């Protein structure tokens, strides 16, 4: 079983956290290392709220698994 409820667990499992502002129609990424370095590594992902740096609206979160590797082949996506 893999636990990914906190920022630290997300980073440990090579996942990332996408952030989407519906007002600005803009995507960003949560800086998990910065969150951990500033003592928030044990905060839960579901309980955390992020605000858009442009408009200040609360943003939606999207848990992202690591990108699959294709060996030495070139990526086309
Ligand atoms: Zn925004």
């Amino acid at each position: 079983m893999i636990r990914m409820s906190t920022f630290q667990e997300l980073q440990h499992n090579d996942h990332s956290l996408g952030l989407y502002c519906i007002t600005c129609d803009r995507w960003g990424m949560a800086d998990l290392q910065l969150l951990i370095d500033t003592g928030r590594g044990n905060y839960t992902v579901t309980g955390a709220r992020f605000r858009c740096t442009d408009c200040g609206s609360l943003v939606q979160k999207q848990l992202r698994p690591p990108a699959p590797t294709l060996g030495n082949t070139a990526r086309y996506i």
Side-chain angles (χ1 to χ4, degrees):
M1 183 174 118
I2 298 173
R3 287 186 52 98
M4 289 191 292
S5 60
T6 66
F7 297 129
Q8 199 158 10
E9 290 167 347
L10 279 187
Q11 189 177 56
H12 179 74
N13 292 297
D14 295 325
H15 280 59
S16 56
L17 187 64
L19 303 171
Y20 177 68
C21 177
I22 196 166
T23 304
C24 299
D25 191 23
R26 186 174 67 87
W27 281 98
M29 297 296 293
D31 187 342
L32 296 177
Q33 188 60 54
L34 178 64
L35 291 167
I36 293 167
D37 289 346
T38 55
R40 291 174 274 185
N42 289 326
Y43 285 21
T44 60
V45 176
T46 54
R49 298 188 314 166
F50 294 87
R51 289 195 177 273
C52 176
T53 55
D54 286 349
C55 72
S57 298
L58 286 175
V59 300
Q60 298 177 353
K61 297 171 279 187
Q62 182 185 62
L63 185 63
R64 296 180 177 179
T69 58
L70 302 172
N72 293 328
T73 58
R75 294 184 181 184
Y76 62 93
I77 299 176

